[in-house]
C-alpha cells in the first residue's frame, strides 16, 4: 500500500512511474524525452530525495538509476534492461541517490562479486578464515595496551582476499 501512495505522490511531481522487473523503472512524460540522460536522471532523483508525508510520518527515500546507451549497450529491450539493472546496482554501491552509465566492465565486477559470494558461503565450512591479532601500542609509553582481532580470508584459488572485497558481501 505504501508503495502505491508513494508512486502517486511522485507522479504528481511530474513523473509517471512504471514497474519494470519489480520496483525498477521510470517512464518520463513526452516533453521530457528530449532531455539528455543525465538531466533526466537528476530530475528524477532530486524530488525523490525530498521528505514526504506518509500516514502521518515523514519519510525520505532515494533512488539509484542505471543508464544504458542504445545501441552500444544493447540492441533489444531485454539486454538494455539487464544492462540498466547492472548499472543501477553499481549506482547503489556508489551511494544512494546516484546514477551511473552502463559500462561492460560492470559485468566483470558483478561476476567477481557473484563468485566471491558463492565462495564466501563455503569458506567457513572449509576453515578458510584466519584471525590475526594486531597489537595496539600507546604512543605515550610505547607499550602494548591492547589487541585488535582482524579477520582474514585465505581462498584456495584467489589467495588472500582483501577485507574490503569480502566484508561488504558478508554484511549483506
Amino acid at each position: 500500500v505504501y508503495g502505491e501512495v508513494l508512486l502517486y505522490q511522485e507522479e504528481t511531481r511530474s513523473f509517471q512511474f512504471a514497474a519494470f522487473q519489480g520496483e525498477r523503472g521510470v517512464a518520463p512524460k513526452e516533453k521530457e524525452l528530449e532531455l539528455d540522460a543525465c538531466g533526466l536522471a537528476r530530475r528524477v532523483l532530486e524530488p525523490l530525495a525530498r521528505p514526504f508525508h506518509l500516514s502521518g510520518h515523514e519519510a525520505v527515500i532515494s533512488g539509484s538509476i542505471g543508464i544504458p546507451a542504445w545501441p552500444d549497450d544493447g540492441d533489444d529491450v531485454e539486454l538494455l534492461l539487464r544492462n540498466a539493472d547492472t548499472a543501477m546496482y553499481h549506482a547503489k554501491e556508489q551511494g544512494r541517490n546516484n546514477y551511473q552509465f552502463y559500462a561492460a566492465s560492470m559485468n566483470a565486477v558483478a561476476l567477481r562479486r557473484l563468485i566471491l559470494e558463492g565462495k564466501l558461503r563455503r569458506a567457513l565450512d572449509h576453515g578458510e578464515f584466519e584471525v590475526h591479532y594486531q597489537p595496539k601500542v600507546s604512543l605515550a609509553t610505547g607499550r602494548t595496551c591492547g589487541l585488535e582481532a582482524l579477520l582474514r580470508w585465505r581462498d584456495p584459488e584467489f589467495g588472500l582476499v582483501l577485507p574490503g572485497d569480502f566484508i561488504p558481501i558478508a554484511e549483506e
Side-chain angles (χ1 to χ4, degrees):
V1 175
Y2 287 153
E4 292 176 14
V5 172
L6 174 63
L7 293 179
Y8 175 76
Q9 287 184 355
E10 289 305 319
E11 183 178 302
T12 61
R13 292 182 181 171
S14 85
F15 290 98
Q16 298 172 343
F17 283 82
F20 296 123
Q21 301 176 352
E23 81 279 4
R24 301 170 186 98
V26 62
K29 292 183 177 179
E30 288 197 22
K31 67 178 181 172
E32 292 161 340
L33 289 174
E34 299 173 11
L35 293 174
D36 65 304
C38 293
L40 180 57
R42 282 192 295 272
R43 288 190 58 185
V44 170
L45 293 174
E46 286 171 7
L48 289 178
R50 290 195 297 256
F52 64 95
H53 295 280
L54 186 63
S55 298
H57 300 283
E58 186 173 277
V60 178
I61 64 168
S62 63
S64 298
I65 298 174
I67 305 170
W70 177 85
D72 296 339
D73 299 329
D75 57 0
D76 62 63
V77 172
E78 183 179 319
L79 183 56
L80 286 168
L81 285 175
R82 190 169 54 241
N83 290 341
D85 205 40
T86 299
M88 179 194 66
Y89 281 108
H90 186 71
K92 285 182 179 185
E93 289 173 6
Q94 302 301 309
R96 300 294 172 132
N97 226 39
N98 188 346
Y99 64 90
Q100 294 289 314
F101 285 90
Y102 172 79
S105 61
M106 290 176 182
N107 284 332
V109 171
L111 179 60
R112 177 167 169 75
R113 181 180 172 88
L114 185 64
I115 291 169
L116 282 176
E117 186 176 324
K119 288 176 159 287
L120 186 59
R121 293 180 191 279
R122 293 182 293 277
L124 188 59
D125 292 336
H126 293 124
E128 297 173 7
F129 291 108
E130 304 170 356
V131 178
H132 292 238
Y133 296 96
Q134 178 173 307
K136 292 174 75 175
V137 178
S138 168
L139 292 175
T141 65
R143 298 184 65 186
T144 301
C145 59
L147 294 171
E148 282 185 322
L150 306 171
L151 182 65
R152 297 294 183 246
W153 176 20
R154 191 169 305 279
D155 178 77
E157 182 183 352
F158 293 146
L160 189 62
V161 180
L162 297 175
D165 290 340
F166 77 88
I167 289 179
I169 297 171
E171 288 176 341
E172 287 179 15

